[in-house]
Amino acid sequence: MDLKGFDQPGGRAAGDTRSVKVMIAGGFGTGKTTMVRSVSDIKPLTTEETLTEASADVDDLIGVADKTQTTVSLDFGKIGINESLVLYLFGTPGQERFWFLWNGLFKGALGAIVLVDTRRLESSFRAIEEMERQDVPFVVALNVFPDSRNYPVAEIRDALDIPENTPVVAFDARDRASSRDVLVALIHHLKERSAVALEPR
């Protein structure tokens, strides 16, 4: 895929506008819906439902006790990076009981963002494992919450066992520009992987 010019908003690469499917994954309460809402050019489609007492014994609310809603299917949004590249964003549900939906959601995805809450690193283990299992290139995005500790990236990388060639960036899922920067980092990562794959061996 030719992504030339993607990082120059308003510029146009040769050929028609290209669309790319990108997954927004991560554990329960890491900010996936918030990111899709903040960055989407269109009113996003969300499938949030109110958490009830019936789910208290099913969903792990440790660290997210104030959370009142949860995604039960997917979130969907769209953002034009420039005139030649459009990203279609598919947010995954975070709770274990909805993980069976992931296989279908990942079909056709060119890459993914894995959101991580540094207060609850273990909540994103499953998402990272799924990227590796499905061989989907990804960027790890550390969502900065008000009470998050500022860990060195090297410590986060070690704790999550993230390969050196996988980017790790901090961002604020509530902020459109910050969320867009993470998506641009993913496209850069995809370009670099493509270049390496095309190198003579």
Side-chain angles (χ1 to χ4, degrees), residues 65-199:
D66 294 336
K67 190 169 174 61
T68 58
Q69 293 189 310
T70 184
T71 299
V72 297
S73 179
L74 63 87
D75 298 317
F76 173 78
K78 170 186 171 186
I79 178 174
I81 297 297
N82 64 21
E83 292 179 3
S84 62
L85 180 63
V86 174
L87 305 184
Y88 289 97
L89 312 175
F90 290 77
T92 65
Q95 311 94 302
E96 185 173 353
R97 60 191 166 119
F98 296 125
W99 285 351
F100 70 92
L101 295 169
W102 284 31
N103 285 335
L105 288 175
F106 272 86
K107 287 182 180 176
L110 191 66
I113 306 292
V114 176
L115 269 63
V116 170
D117 179 351
T118 57
R119 303 168 304 174
R120 302 178 299 117
L121 290 180
E122 68 284 352
S123 67
S124 291
F125 288 161
R126 171 68 167 77
I128 292 171
E129 289 173 357
E130 191 65 15
M131 300 304 126
E132 293 169 345
R133 185 181 75 82
Q134 301 216 29
D135 196 27
V136 175
F138 65 98
V139 166
V140 172
L142 310 177
N143 192 8
V144 179
F145 289 87
D147 58 343
S148 295
R149 287 182 58 188
N150 187 22
Y151 294 98
V153 168
E155 286 187 20
I156 299 292
R157 190 181 292 280
D158 287 344
L160 294 174
D161 195 22
I162 301 167
E164 283 295 327
N165 62 349
T166 297
V168 178
V169 296
F171 87 119
D172 184 341
R174 301 166 298 179
D175 183 76
R176 175 178 169 82
S178 185
S179 294
R180 183 185 181 279
D181 287 346
V182 174
L183 293 169
V184 170
L186 173 63
I187 302 303
H188 275 297
H189 181 49
L190 294 174
K191 283 187 67 177
E192 289 170 1
R193 279 177 55 104
S194 236
V196 169
L198 294 173
E199 286 179 358

Side-chain angles (χ1 to χ4, degrees), residues 31-96:
K32 300 177 296 296
T33 300
T34 300
M35 179 181 181
V36 173
R37 280 180 174 161
S38 73
V39 81
S40 180
D41 291 336
I42 62 172
K43 182 178 180 180
L45 165 68
T46 61
T47 57
E48 285 199 309
E49 294 292 340
T50 301
L51 286 167
T52 65
E53 290 185 11
S55 68
D57 294 330
V58 180
D59 297 324
D60 181 3
L61 298 179
I62 295 175
V64 286
D66 294 336
K67 190 169 174 61
T68 58
Q69 293 189 310
T70 184
T71 299
V72 297
S73 179
L74 63 87
D75 298 317
F76 173 78
K78 170 186 171 186
I79 178 174
I81 297 297
N82 64 21
E83 292 179 3
S84 62
L85 180 63
V86 174
L87 305 184
Y88 289 97
L89 312 175
F90 290 77
T92 65
Q95 311 94 302
E96 185 173 353

